Amino acid sequence: MKTKRIILAVLTSGGYGREVVEGIQDYAHSHAPHWEFYFEGACNHPSVQTYLRLAVTDWHAHGIIGQLMHGNLPTLVHKHRLPAVNVSSSIPTTIPSVVPHAGMIGTLAARYFLDRGLRNLAFIGRNACMYATQQQATFQAAGTAAGVSCHLMPEYSRQQTWVEEFKRIVTWLRKLPRPLGVFACDDRRGRDVLQACHTLGVRVPDDIAVLGSDNDETSCLLSAPPLSSVILQGRNIGFQAAELLDHLMRGEARPKRPILVAPSGIVTRRSTDIVASDDPNTTAALRFIHDQAHRPITVHDVLAAAPQSRRAMERRFRLSLGRTPKEEIRRVHLERAKFLLSQTDHKIQNLAAEAGYSRYSLFVKEFHAHTGMTPSAFRAQLRTASRLIVKG
């Protein structure tokens, strides 16, 4: 089979880009062993743009996958009619794209904070950044639908230095109500918020809980405290991008809309390890439920940890969360199960116990009632990279 020369122009300074490249490798190893690559992990650097142009004109590349918004890359692709797939949603493009589903990310983040009892939400994005704008819209809509206030970091009309922008974040956070849940459009922005909290002497997560997006482990674990983050499925995106490029190089029709890949969950680290309620009894009960997500606890166990009458606890839960203690226990166990199914290879029978279920049969029954599918089908759906296609 004839060798295909593929350009990879993917920024690998962050976790998302590295995962995308890994997904492309997965596809090449399993479906396209005849591909060879020209790889540039710093495709936004001016000198690298020259190398990429030569890879098209002199190396005679057959296709390109990358964050195709840097420098002259879009012009190069269109001029040479090069089959191309874009994996960035920073700015609009007419190039076929496989990107994270920014709208679902915003909704997921809002529900995450609401489930922890937070009733003050805030969002910080980036000027003229498409994925940040889309996240903001759905994050704000989910908060509004739940009847809670959502504060937005104002955009600024001119280019700012990092120091100027940091001062703006500090000023913005100082004025906001607490306890507060702040969703940052990406992990770098999340780290900015955590540093601003440190400058203000704000307790994280007690006063301000901070959630990022990308789950770049290097960046998240360098933060103080470690940053919680949305999982974007970069490896899944890379695999689908390579598959799409393969189809395009065969002359098949390009998709009319971007392929949008849903987030697979959230990794909770110290920056959001909070349960918030105006009532201390409810806060103590919620803390116990979340801390014991790996055990088969009951409402009686919760009452022992946060003494009060059962009727009073149920009334307080309904007022704060809109659900009963039993429903909260079930929700926390199911969320842990979904995380383990998506992020580990543990056998499902063993995973049930890790998610706090005393019996495997009970786990399967409750999981099916909640999701409409068995745990094995849920995992298979993630592994087969099911596509969500919407108008771009």
Side-chain angles (χ1 to χ4, degrees), residues 29-41:
H29 292 160
S30 59
H31 293 79
H34 55 288
W35 284 10
E36 64 180 26
F37 295 101
Y38 176 80
F39 173 49
E40 285 291 357

Side-chain angles (χ1 to χ4, degrees), residues 373 376-386:
M373 63 183 74
S376 57
F378 179 85
R379 174 176 273 174
Q381 185 182 70
L382 292 174
R383 298 288 169 85
T384 54
S386 59

Side-chain angles (χ1 to χ4, degrees), residues 134 256-258 260 389-392:
Q134 292 169 345
K256 295 181 180 179
R257 300 181 178 93
L260 306 181
I389 304 179
V390 300
K391 185 175 181 180

Side-chain angles (χ1 to χ4, degrees), residues 285-332:
L286 283 167
R287 170 63 65 193
F288 178 79
I289 291 171
H290 284 249
D291 287 347
Q292 302 300 317
H294 61 291
R295 293 182 56 236
I297 61 173
T298 67
V299 175
H300 290 296
D301 296 320
V302 181
L303 287 169
Q308 57 194 296
S309 73
R310 180 162 183 158
R311 178 176 293 182
M313 183 169 70
E314 291 189 346
R315 178 176 55 81
R316 288 164 171 158
F317 265 64
R318 288 189 183 280
L319 285 173
S320 295
L321 302 175
R323 52 184 176 270
T324 66
K326 185 177 181 179
E327 289 168 341
E328 177 67 0
I329 292 170
R330 182 183 296 115
R331 187 195 69 79
V332 168

Side-chain angles (χ1 to χ4, degrees), residues 267-301:
V267 175
T268 297
R269 300 186 178 92
R270 184 73 186 109
S271 72
T272 60
D273 188 11
I274 185 177
V275 287
S277 172
D278 293 333
D279 177 67
N281 287 314
T282 302
T283 298
L286 283 167
R287 170 63 65 193
F288 178 79
I289 291 171
H290 284 249
D291 287 347
Q292 302 300 317
H294 61 291
R295 293 182 56 236
I297 61 173
T298 67
V299 175
H300 290 296
D301 296 320

Side-chain angles (χ1 to χ4, degrees), residues 73-147:
L73 278 178
T75 302
L76 190 66
V77 166
H78 290 302
K79 178 180 178 181
H80 294 274
R81 298 182 179 179
L82 186 68
V85 178
N86 168 62
V87 291
S88 170
S89 52
S90 293
I91 61 174
T93 180
T94 59
I95 297 171
S97 298
V98 182
V99 293
H101 195 315
M104 291 188 71
I105 292 168
T107 301
L108 178 66
R111 289 175 178 168
Y112 178 81
F113 282 137
L114 293 171
D115 284 341
R116 279 154 177 75
L118 287 162
R119 291 299 177 264
N120 295 301
L121 303 182
F123 177 84
I124 179 169
R126 293 186 180 279
N127 277 14
C129 178
M130 186 171 70
Y131 68 78
T133 300
Q134 292 169 345
Q135 288 176 9
Q136 174 184 304
T138 53
F139 182 79
Q140 186 175 20
T144 300

